[in-house]
Amino acid sequence: MTVNGWIQILLFAAIILAITKPLGSYMHRVFEGERQPWPSLFGAIERLLYKLCGVDPQQQQDWKQYTLAMLVFSAITLLLTYGIERLQHILPLNPQNFGPVSADLAFNTAASFTTNTNWQAYSGESTMSYLTQMAGLAWHNFISAAVGIGIALALARGITYRLQVGAAKTLGNFWVDLVRAIVYVLIPISIPIALLLVSQGVIQNFSSYIEVTTLEGVKQTLAMGPVASQEVIKELGTNGGGFFNANSAHPFESPNPLTNFIEMLLIFAVPAGLTYTFGRMA
């Protein structure tokens, strides 16, 4: 191990430690506070989503209701992603004219992304259209991460509420946890960091693939696509499942040491913050 390596490890650990308390405190206010942050902006979006979906945010759920809501939501989103994959050849944003994903691969991918496993048995740049990457996979990176946060909170409530005399046997509301995780946590962090990644060379476009001639005179095809927007939530939601077959080892996903460092920080940010959130709840 070199001196530079030790410096990077210590710097990484110091930054994770530094963001654990403020992020954890922020998430405690989002999920457990009586008044959420940025009510004029995020609160308006939250209330609109409740209204559109017919959700009563004041209704509490026991463990059976919370689990059922999570399973039903996950099943529906699995089928939706499966449908997008199977129909991508007739859907827009497919400049390479990729055909439909095979039935077994489509189901395996949809199930994997639904469960936050994100195991890929395909090469993304030669299999999935831009719409599938965005509306199927990146979208699932958001909602599966939000579901995971909700389950962690439900477990924490189950532990901490039992310590309270006369506490109701409820775990919160799955739909509220889902919406707040996306609206207050995942999207606000993802947007500025995605722009930061773009500034460092992570690609974000809808261009067709580009054919170039290398210095050796060989023809090579460079895959394009909306990569930065998927890259940031892939890491922040601890999802995996990159745009390219090589994931973040591909230079279009992580072009330099700074982007690599940022992406590693994203992986640890929410799990580290949740430890402090649990501490506040307890």
Side-chain angles (χ1 to χ4, degrees):
M1 178 69 74
T2 64
V3 173
N4 181 53
W6 280 110
I7 291 174
Q8 290 186 51
I9 291 173
L10 293 174
L11 179 62
F12 179 85
I15 294 176
I16 291 296
L17 184 61
I19 65 177
T20 294
K21 181 176 180 179
L23 181 57
S25 181
Y26 174 79
M27 288 193 290
H28 180 266
R29 183 181 173 189
V30 167
F31 296 108
E32 296 294 300
E34 294 183 2
R35 182 176 174 84
Q36 283 64 47
W38 298 88
S40 58
L41 176 59
F42 297 151
I45 298 173
E46 179 186 7
R47 290 189 295 273
L48 176 62
L49 290 174
Y50 292 155
K51 185 176 181 179
L52 292 174
C53 299
V55 172
D56 179 7
Q58 302 303 321
Q59 182 180 1
Q60 294 291 299
Q61 298 174 325
D62 60 23
W63 73 268
K64 296 183 290 294
Q65 294 168 321
Y66 198 102
T67 302
L68 180 62
M70 182 271 293
L71 291 175
V72 169
F73 175 77
S74 298
I76 292 173
T77 57
L78 184 155
L79 294 175
L80 182 58
T81 296
Y82 175 82
I84 292 173
E85 294 178 76
R86 293 289 289 152
L87 299 173
Q88 71 174 9
H89 60 296
I90 61 175
L91 294 173
L93 295 178
N94 186 10
Q96 299 307 116
N97 296 314
F98 291 139
V101 180
S102 63
D104 55 345
L105 179 59
F107 184 83
N108 178 80
T109 303
S112 182
F113 274 73
T114 299
T115 57
N116 205 255
T117 310
N118 306 97
W119 183 71
Q120 293 177 287
Y122 60 89
S123 176
E125 65 268 37
S126 61
T127 306
M128 304 294 184
S129 70
Y130 293 166
L131 183 69
T132 302
Q133 294 274 21
M134 293 188 302
L137 307 186
W139 171 72
H140 240 121
N141 283 346
F142 275 98
I143 61 174
S144 66
V147 169
I149 292 172
I151 293 173
L153 291 166
L155 176 62
R157 292 177 186 131
I159 296 172
T160 58
Y161 287 7
R162 290 185 64 184
L163 303 179
Q164 302 175 26
V165 177
K169 296 181 179 180
T170 58
L171 299 177
N173 185 307
F174 170 77
W175 307 110
V176 172
D177 290 338
L178 178 74
V179 168
R180 288 181 179 173
I182 296 172
V183 172
Y184 289 90
V185 180
L186 299 177
I187 290 180
I189 296 175
S190 294
I191 291 176
I193 297 183
L195 294 174
L196 176 59
L197 293 180
V198 170
S199 74
Q200 295 300 306
V202 179
I203 65 172
Q204 179 76 16
N205 58 56
F206 292 128
S207 302
S208 299
Y209 291 5
I210 300 173
E211 188 174 87
V212 299
T213 302
T214 67
L215 295 176
E216 292 81 10
V218 178
K219 296 290 185 180
Q220 181 178 348
T221 300
L222 298 181
M224 297 284 106
V227 177
S229 55
Q230 181 168 330
E231 184 68 18
V232 62
I233 188 57
K234 175 187 84 171
E235 311 295 1
L236 180 63
T238 63
N239 295 287
F243 194 97
F244 298 100
N245 187 41
N247 290 337
S248 293
H250 195 288
F252 286 175
E253 287 196 26
S254 183
N256 59 52
L258 176 60
T259 58
N260 194 59
F261 193 80
I262 292 171
E263 290 170 17
M264 289 193 299
L265 288 173
L266 289 173
I267 296 173
F268 282 82
V270 171
L274 282 173
T275 63
Y276 191 84
T277 302
F278 173 71
R280 288 288 300 272
M281 294 170 68

